[in-house]
Amino acid sequence: MDKKKWEQSFKAINDRTPSEDDDQKALLDGLVTEDITEHKKPKKKTIILGSIFSGLFLIVIAILLIVFFYPKPKNDSSLTASNHKISYGSMIDSNSPQEGKSDHVPSALAAWKALTLNQQIALLAQSYAKLNPRTTILTADYLAMTGNINDGAIEWYDSNKIIHKVNVKINQATVTYSYINAESWETEEQTTKIDTLFADYFETSTAKQTTKEISSRVVDSATLASLSTEMDLEQIAQGDYSSVHGTWKTLEGRTLIFENNQCYIVEGEKKTKLVLNALSTDSQQDQGFLTVNSQPEGTPAGAGLSFIPKGYDWADTDKAKPRIWLSNTFGPSAHHLPERQKLAV
């Protein structure tokens, strides 16, 4: 009999629900063919459902742990935005100095144009000396620019009266130097910037003072050419002092200046013109030197001014250089006199 029908029949007869023992007895008697263990299914279902809920609970716990304790990955859009920001920031950082530099160049060019020609030449000379440390340009007594400042050459003579030059070209803010290498005899080029010249040689008071001193040695090309000539005694005897044109410094600090075919003596801030006249008709240049009378303008006092060319051996002075001697005494005994300090070279 079907289990459900048996249970209904049992309840109708006995007025109660069959117990587990009744189920077992009915099963043994063959009254019920269905497995009476169906009553145990609710327990199995409870166990199964409990296991499922426990598993789900553990999964939920695991998910919560992942959510709260595992680093949250960035999505592609946020990563892309972040990378874009970094790239842009880097671009700004790399461009900022360039922008500052580009802003500085026009001001440097304006300042460059405001300088005198001699100051410009002095800055170029110092910059060139830094790029070519073997040059003698900064130790030269005089410098001259041929051509123009944007496309010309700076020339000077070294202590051996050998001429040197460096070609200079300025294109906007770039300065290009072209010169002959003293060792390889090959042409070399070096470049720099106008704003670098200012930063290195015109930014501080010391740098400006150095530039001022060098600019004072700048002369025109014709004057530089005349300074390269040897002391010409015959011209001097005729009143032509072009071969000794320039500045002659004494060992005691005084200065003789020949300019515009006139002679001046400078002591401190005082500059006095010397009137020069030949002493006699006999040709002193045949002896290897020439002495003329020098007299401060407006005074009767006077003294001998002797011109001693290079190569003349006198009073243990340096015969490798031309010399000028301001004294009434001249001769082999002159080196014993304190006045020897008045020697100008």
Side-chain angles (χ1 to χ4, degrees), residues 128-166:
Y128 170 64
K130 182 178 180 180
L131 295 172
N132 181 21
R134 298 179 64 86
T135 183
T136 58
I137 192 170
L138 295 184
T139 59
D141 291 331
Y142 299 99
L143 308 172
M145 170 69 78
T146 60
N148 60 70
I149 195 70
N150 294 321
D151 188 4
I154 302 176
E155 296 182 341
W156 69 96
Y157 287 90
D158 63 19
S159 58
N160 295 318
K161 296 292 182 181
I162 299 175
I163 192 169
H164 299 265
K165 78 171 184 176
V166 55

Side-chain angles (χ1 to χ4, degrees), residues 232-241 278 283 285 290 292 307:
D232 191 324
L233 298 184
E234 186 173 348
Q235 287 183 346
I236 294 172
Q238 299 298 321
D240 181 356
Y241 303 103
S283 182
Q285 58 263 37
L290 176 66
V292 299
F307 297 90

Side-chain angles (χ1 to χ4, degrees), residues 231 306-309 312 317-319 321-324 343-345:
M231 182 182 286
S306 300
F307 297 90
I308 311 163
Y312 185 80
T317 58
D318 186 0
K319 65 179 182 180
K321 298 179 180 180
R323 293 140 292 168
I324 295 177
L343 181 69
V345 295

Side-chain angles (χ1 to χ4, degrees), residues 184-316:
S184 64
W185 290 97
E186 295 180 354
T187 301
E188 292 186 359
E189 283 192 356
Q190 299 271 13
T191 61
T192 188
K193 298 290 184 180
I194 291 293
D195 52 328
T196 301
L197 268 65
F198 273 92
D200 291 346
Y201 311 112
F202 212 73
E203 196 166 87
T204 66
S205 57
T206 301
K208 288 181 179 179
Q209 186 61 37
T210 300
T211 297
K212 180 181 179 181
E213 190 279 323
I214 295 173
S215 67
S216 69
R217 292 187 260 145
V218 177
V219 297
D220 58 63
S221 55
T223 299
L224 184 68
S226 69
L227 293 174
S228 67
T229 59
E230 296 294 337
M231 182 182 286
D232 191 324
L233 298 184
E234 186 173 348
Q235 287 183 346
I236 294 172
Q238 299 298 321
D240 181 356
Y241 303 103
S242 60
S243 65
V244 292
H245 187 281
T247 302
W248 299 70
K249 295 184 181 295
T250 69
L251 298 178
E252 64 177 2
R254 293 192 299 175
T255 300
L256 287 174
I257 299 175
F258 288 87
E259 57 185 13
N260 300 320
N261 211 45
Q262 302 292 332
C263 180
Y264 300 87
I265 187 168
V266 180
E267 297 177 281
E269 298 296 325
K270 185 178 180 181
K271 182 178 180 180
T272 305
K273 180 180 178 180
L274 295 180
V275 180
L276 306 182
N277 296 296
L279 285 177
S280 62
T281 57
D282 59 335
S283 182
Q284 287 183 317
Q285 58 263 37
D286 291 340
Q287 304 174 35
F289 66 92
L290 176 66
T291 302
V292 299
N293 183 60
S294 66
Q295 181 179 342
E297 190 175 44
T299 66
L305 190 64
S306 300
F307 297 90
I308 311 163
K310 183 170 65 175
Y312 185 80
D313 192 1
W314 175 76
D316 69 0

